[in-house]
């Protein structure tokens, strides 16, 4: 059996202003990666792309207290500023988004799970963190790209592997509330499970000392249902392509207006070096590129725009002479299915017909 390792690479995976994107790019280069939050069979390796707008820190397992019910906001109100507010986009958000409103309070600060949206294998959750007395939540001069949170994040309690990331949205540094956006992608269905968000201390990264300093102390535990509508379609039925002297078989493509997942099998078994250092060796890096990273996924829109989806997280693992892989995550914005013309994997094109 092969030990799991941490694969590091940043991804700006959500929709922001140009200024926010620049800040994310700066911090993502410094950010440490979370370890996989859920159990995966030992022979499979997680491959993650996480845009963590915080400096290096690993989320620490923590326990909070039971939550109450928060203010219920509509899914459109929660997601439109993040994933697009055009009429077609808000219509989709209204259809598949699920308002939550579950919350927990500690030390005068409340964490509320506002809403969740996604498809069978991918989801995005928006949390609001607010100070109950209405005063400023953050110290003066604090921006979202300085923040990180301890805790194990959102646990879906499903039997499968998962990858994802999180970032803070701070529209007004002097306001009494901010948002935490968390994305999760899994290799098993997640749209009908119970989620538990566990967080401890909101911290600010101190560049001078190279340490995370708590600016909001507390422990919060929020439990809610991932009861949103899956609007995905399934493509692919054993189509093949040849690359690097190997044959790749496309087992299935799951595509929705908010996310995608591509499952494929390679006709040779990947062999890991198992150096034992916990770091990816040069040989493992080459293997990862051959079997996973170099598999191109392109989404072509009806207006001719081509969206490169190749830089995605997922999993890769050897099984009885072959290698089973899965790549996918949330899209950067809501894209109506009628605006999608085709998706290609390794050069194999699959037309998309909106129903």
């Amino acid at each position: 059996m092969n030990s799991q390792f941490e694969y590091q690479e940043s991804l700006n995976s959500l929709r922001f202003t140009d200024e926010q994107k620049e800040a994310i790019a700066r911090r993502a280069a410094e950010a440490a990666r979370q370890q996989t939050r859920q159990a995966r069979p030992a022979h499979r390796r997680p491959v993650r792309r996480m845009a963590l707008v915080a400096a290096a820190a690993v989320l620490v397992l923590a326990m909070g207290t039971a939550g109450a019910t928060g203010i219920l906001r509509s899914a459109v109100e929660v997601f439109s500023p993040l994933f697009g507010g055009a009429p077609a986009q808000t219509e989709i958000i209204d259809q598949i988004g699920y308002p939550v409103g579950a919350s927990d309070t500690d030390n005068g600060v409340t964490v509320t799970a506002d809403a969740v949206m996604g498809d069978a294998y991918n989801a995005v959750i928006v949390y609001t963190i607010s100070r109950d007395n209405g005063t400023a939540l953050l110290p003066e001069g604090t921006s979202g790209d300085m923040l990180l949170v301890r805790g194990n994040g959102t646990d879906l309690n499903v039997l499968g592997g998962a990858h994802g990331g999180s970032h803070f949205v701070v529209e007004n540094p002097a306001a009494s509330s901010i948002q935490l956006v968390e994305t999760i992608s899994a290799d098993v269905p997640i749209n009908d499970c119970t989620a538990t968000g566990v967080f401890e201390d909101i911290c600010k990264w101190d560049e001078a000392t190279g340490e995370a300093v708590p600016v909001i102390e507390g422990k919060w535990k929020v439990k809610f249902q991932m009861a949103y509508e899956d609007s995905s379609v399934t493509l692919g039925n054993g189509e093949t392509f040849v690359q690097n002297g190997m044959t790749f078989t496309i087992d299935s493509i799951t595509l929705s207006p908010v996310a995608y997942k591509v499952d494929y099998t390679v006709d040779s078994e990947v062999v890991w070096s198992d150096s034992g250092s916990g770091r990816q060796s040069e040989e493992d890096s080459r293997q990862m590129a051959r079997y996973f990273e170099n598999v191109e996924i392109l989404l072509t829109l009806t207006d001719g725009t081509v969206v490169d989806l190749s830089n995605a997280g997922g999993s890769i693992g050897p099984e009885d002479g072959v290698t089973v892989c899965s790549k996918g995550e949330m899209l950067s914005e809501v894209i109506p299915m009628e605006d999608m013309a085709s998706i290609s994997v390794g050069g194999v094109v699959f037309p998309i017909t909106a129903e």
Side-chain angles (χ1 to χ4, degrees):
M1 292 188 294
N2 296 291
S3 62
Q4 294 184 349
F5 70 96
E6 185 171 331
Y7 182 86
Q8 299 185 343
E9 184 173 339
S10 61
L11 171 67
N12 183 359
S13 62
L14 292 174
R15 179 176 181 149
F16 308 104
T17 64
D18 291 339
E19 291 78 9
Q20 288 173 316
K21 288 179 180 179
E22 292 176 0
I24 290 171
R26 291 195 305 270
R27 295 293 174 180
E30 305 168 3
R33 295 296 177 256
Q34 300 169 337
Q35 295 189 9
T36 302
R37 290 190 293 265
Q38 297 170 325
R40 180 186 301 276
H43 66 284
R44 292 183 68 80
R45 296 190 175 202
V47 184
R48 299 176 292 282
R49 305 287 190 270
M50 287 185 277
L52 300 179
V53 288
V58 177
L59 295 184
V60 180
L61 182 64
M63 292 302 295
T65 55
T69 300
I71 298 174
L72 191 64
R73 302 171 61 197
S74 71
V76 170
E77 181 184 2
V78 173
F79 289 115
S80 290
L82 300 171
F83 288 88
Q89 292 172 315
T90 57
E91 182 179 351
I92 292 171
I93 293 172
D94 186 54
Q95 175 186 352
I96 67 175
Y98 178 71
V100 178
S103 65
D104 186 23
T105 301
D106 186 28
N107 200 23
V109 173
T110 297
V111 173
T112 302
D114 291 318
V116 60
M117 176 179 70
D119 61 15
Y121 299 99
N122 307 271
V124 57
I125 306 161
V126 175
Y127 294 92
T128 292
I129 304 167
S130 58
R131 194 174 295 282
D132 297 345
N133 63 10
T135 59
L137 179 69
L138 301 173
E140 185 177 354
T142 304
S143 58
D145 61 320
M146 300 177 181
L147 298 175
L148 57 94
V149 60
R150 295 191 178 113
N152 67 332
T154 305
D155 184 356
L156 302 182
N157 193 31
V158 293
L159 296 176
H163 65 279
S166 61
H167 75 276
F168 286 92
V169 177
V170 180
E171 295 182 355
N172 178 7
S176 61
S177 65
I178 61 175
Q179 288 180 307
L180 173 64
V181 181
E182 185 173 6
T183 60
I184 302 174
S185 296
D187 53 18
V188 295
I190 60 175
N191 63 315
D192 187 21
C193 65
T194 300
T196 304
V198 179
F199 308 98
E200 178 180 0
D201 295 345
I202 310 301
C203 299
K204 176 182 177 181
W205 184 255
D206 189 328
E207 292 188 353
T209 63
E211 297 179 348
V213 179
V215 294
I216 306 170
E217 295 184 346
K219 296 182 180 180
W220 303 272
K221 183 176 181 180
V222 184
K223 192 173 184 179
F224 56 94
Q225 295 297 313
M226 300 281 284
Y228 56 87
E229 180 180 340
D230 173 25
S231 60
S232 61
V233 298
T234 301
L235 306 170
N237 187 27
E239 294 82 358
T240 63
F241 62 94
V242 177
Q243 187 170 289
N244 297 320
M246 303 181 297
T247 299
F248 294 68
T249 300
I250 303 169
D251 301 312
S252 68
I253 302 170
T254 303
L255 181 66
S256 74
V258 296
Y260 65 100
K261 178 173 178 282
V262 176
D263 297 308
Y264 61 92
T265 301
V266 189
D267 68 347
S268 66
E269 186 169 334
V270 64
V271 178
W272 304 118
S273 64
D274 282 336
S275 62
S277 66
R279 294 177 153 236
Q280 184 179 6
S281 67
E282 290 185 7
E283 176 58 27
D284 284 347
S285 179
R286 285 191 290 269
Q287 295 286 68
M288 187 67 70
R290 293 182 67 225
Y291 285 86
F292 194 89
E293 294 173 345
N294 293 344
V295 174
E296 186 179 64
I297 305 173
L298 302 176
L299 176 65
T300 301
L301 306 184
T302 54
D303 65 1
T305 301
V306 177
V307 183
D308 191 344
L309 306 178
S310 309
N311 189 28
S315 65
I316 173 173
E319 291 186 10
D320 299 326
V322 300
T323 301
V324 178
C325 302
S326 179
K327 293 180 71 169
E329 60 197 356
M330 295 292 296
L331 296 171
S332 62
E333 63 178 341
V334 172
I335 304 177
M337 297 297 289
E338 57 265 28
D339 292 345
M340 301 180 186
S342 65
I343 186 170
S344 66
V345 178
V348 181
V349 179
F350 299 85
I352 301 170
T353 302
E355 296 182 358

